[in-house]
Amino acid sequence: MGDGPTRLSILGATGSVGQSTLEVVNAAKRGAFQIKAITANNNVDVLAAAARTHDAEIAVVANPERYQDLKDALFGSETIVAAGPTGLDEAADRDVDCVMAAIVGAAGLRPALRAATRAKRLAIANKECLVIAGELFMQAMAASDTEIIPVDSEHAAVFQVINQRDPSTIERILLTASGGPFRTFTLEQLRAVRCEDALKHPNWSMGAKITVDSATMMNKGLELIEAQQLFGFDYDQFDAIIHPQSIIHCLVEFCDGSVVAQMAHPDMRTPIAQSLYWPSRQSDDIQKIDFKSLSELTFEPIDEQKFPAFRLACDAMRKGGPAPAVLNGANEAAVAAFLDRKIHFLDIATTVAKTMEKSEQMNLFGPATNIDEALEIDAEARKLAQDVMVTI
Ligand code: NDP
């Protein structure tokens, strides 16, 4: 990004995106990156190993009960050790060129916002930030003059395709979806889905929450909301389509009928590297597409009967105001319950639907005017979701 090493912080360094980011750093020229802060929630061993390998300035575990374990694991190293919300603040306050926001869920909102307003560039993987408080988040990025580069593969794809194009020539942006592990299932089969089945994604290796979101197709709905916040345009210019091969990541339709697609092998290291090196590119050992052996690239519509979570997210996007935050809070609560084997797979979407209905009937929330209010809506939606949830 400049002449010296890129000073990088990774929020959520022990997760799937965080670890892939460290792989991109490992593959870089020696001295290309300097790791300033890395964070985790509980996973002290992986965090400490990364801190030692990369001589991180500070390592933070969000769960304060793991502070002593992290301290022990980093005994004798020069890395500063901290924990809890104040520790996350300390990590976010490091002076960096780029921050990778890769904490999962609403928990990532405050740290990402705080770190990004101090950084030159925000590489954003944590889509929930933009779902809960998209407008407020984007306003803060504009006020602090922080460059924002998407990491989600579809958004990284759109970013490349629309970069430096005249926005008035863009008519439609289609995000692709693999369809997840249950694309061909009947409703009857979906009723019998177990947690283990939902955690097996056909094309991508990811954290548990986003893997379940991909199975319900809520992930694609969250991504449409994320895309609208990142790129502007009217909500009805965004749509999603199933493309089971996950080679094409977006399709952008221009006013003259031309459609420009972005393709890459499904590997998060490609969009992560883009977010770290942009506008430059770095060669890597990432598998390239072998077009001669690609037998087909197919598309099909999303079946909203089988995957109602997608429709719920589209409805929330259209409604705006507090609806996306309510959707997200309810979904996080429902996915956590599903991962704890407390509810069935189809009850994830049912819980979100009931939460949204109830919050609207009771007119519980107005639009958030600041981040505290957005997080308050998220917290209340989680409580409401617990109330309406039918447990096993
Ligand atoms: P993971 O679950 O693999 O990792 C999440 C990270 O966040 C871990 O470092 C975890 O720490 C940390 N964390 C979890 N809860 C908290 C908390 N309450 N406070 C602080 N830190 C916390 O998630 P992914 O890497 O899969 O996803 C991260 C984000 O990126 C999500 O928003 C996801 O939607 C998005 N994304 C992910 C993609 C992927 O391929 N994985 C693709 C595109 C977007 P610990 O390890 O200690 O639990």
Side-chain angles (χ1 to χ4, degrees):
M1 287 177 72
D3 287 338
T6 299
R7 295 164 306 159
L8 174 68
S9 285
I10 307 173
L11 307 176
T14 51
S16 168
V17 171
Q19 291 288 295
S20 297
T21 305
L22 286 169
E23 281 180 41
V24 171
V25 168
N26 289 337
K29 284 197 210 93
R30 210 178 148 73
F33 291 93
Q34 184 189 359
I35 301 294
K36 302 289 269 185
I38 50 175
T39 77
N41 192 29
N42 280 303
N43 198 341
V44 161
D45 294 341
V46 173
L47 186 67
R52 284 191 190 275
T53 309
H54 296 279
D55 281 331
E57 239 175 61
I58 180 168
V60 177
V61 61
N63 179 354
E65 288 174 15
R66 301 305 310 271
Y67 172 73
Q68 194 54 49
D69 295 334
L70 183 59
K71 195 114 183 103
D72 294 346
L74 282 170
F75 181 76
S77 89
E78 304 218 327
T79 300
I80 300 164
V81 173
T86 52
L88 286 175
D89 285 352
E90 237 188 289
D93 287 348
R94 297 279 134 173
D95 196 13
V96 294
D97 298 303
C98 180
V99 58
M100 169 62 69
I103 292 176
V104 61
L109 175 54
R110 266 191 216 286
L113 189 60
R114 187 167 177 127
T117 47
R118 286 159 176 77
K120 291 186 189 143
R121 171 178 295 181
L122 168 68
I124 185 142
N126 177 208
K127 68 193 73 176
E128 294 90 349
C129 287
L130 294 170
V131 174
I132 298 168
E135 275 167 38
L136 296 165
F137 198 97
M138 294 304 284
Q139 280 162 12
M141 295 303 95
S144 59
D145 208 14
T146 307
E147 182 185 24
I148 180 160
I149 314 262
V151 171
D152 227 334
S153 56
E154 298 77 1
H155 305 71
V158 174
F159 178 78
Q160 291 174 68
V161 173
I162 70 173
N163 188 51
Q164 295 184 345
R165 311 267 188 174
D166 173 358
S168 69
T169 62
I170 294 169
E171 291 208 333
R172 217 157 55 110
I173 297 179
L174 278 166
L175 307 184
T176 60
S178 70
F182 310 133
R183 177 175 64 90
T184 57
F185 276 35
T186 61
L187 253 183
E188 206 43 51
Q189 286 173 302
L190 286 175
R191 272 192 196 102
V193 157
R194 296 166 312 151
C195 194
E196 298 70 37
D197 308 321
L199 287 173
K200 282 185 209 136
H201 195 281
N203 302 352
W204 297 95
S205 158
M206 309 180 286
K209 193 254 175 188
I210 184 178
T211 305
V212 174
D213 283 346
S214 299
T216 60
M217 306 256 352
M218 174 62 86
N219 184 51
K220 210 45 58 182
L222 297 177
E223 285 184 5
L224 289 181
I225 301 173
E226 177 188 14
Q228 201 210 354
Q229 294 301 338
L230 283 171
F231 304 119
F233 302 106
D234 290 339
Y235 63 76
D236 56 6
Q237 288 178 276
F238 291 95
D239 206 348
I241 188 155
I242 290 183
H243 165 54
Q245 297 80 16
S246 295
I247 294 290
I248 294 175
H249 302 288
C250 79
L251 296 153
V252 178
E253 189 177 274
F254 290 86
C255 53
D256 61 358
S258 286
V259 176
V260 181
Q262 187 270 353
M263 302 188 198
H265 190 72
D267 184 330
M268 279 308 290
R269 290 176 299 167
T270 298
I272 289 170
Q274 171 175 292
S275 74
L276 301 183
Y277 288 109
W278 183 264
S280 181
R281 295 198 188 248
Q282 198 65 21
S283 65
D284 208 330
D285 64 348
I286 285 167
Q287 190 181 337
K288 306 292 191 304
I289 301 171
D290 176 4
F291 284 97
K292 289 186 180 158
S293 70
L294 256 188
S295 54
E296 57 179 5
L297 294 173
T298 58
F299 302 96
E300 57 193 73
I302 296 174
D303 184 336
E304 297 184 6
Q305 296 298 317
K306 282 195 316 187
F307 300 105
F310 175 71
R311 184 179 33 76
L312 289 170
C314 293
D315 288 349
M317 175 168 79
R318 271 180 223 115
K319 284 176 190 153
V326 175
L327 172 98
N328 187 73
N331 183 55
E332 286 198 31
V335 171
F338 175 68
L339 289 170
D340 282 346
R341 279 72 171 167
K342 289 189 180 138
I343 63 171
H344 293 295
F345 180 73
L346 289 179
D347 288 334
I348 300 174
T350 308
T351 303
V352 176
K354 282 189 192 165
T355 307
M356 299 203 63
E357 252 169 56
K358 205 160 174 185
S359 82
E360 279 162 28
Q361 274 163 10
M362 295 164 73
N363 205 8
L364 289 180
F365 310 112
T369 58
N370 56 50
I371 295 295
D372 287 342
E373 283 178 16
L375 286 169
E376 181 76 9
I377 295 172
D378 173 79
E380 289 301 318
R382 283 164 199 263
K383 282 191 211 151
L384 203 52
Q386 298 291 349
D387 291 346
V388 299
M389 204 178 271
V390 180
T391 51
I392 296 169

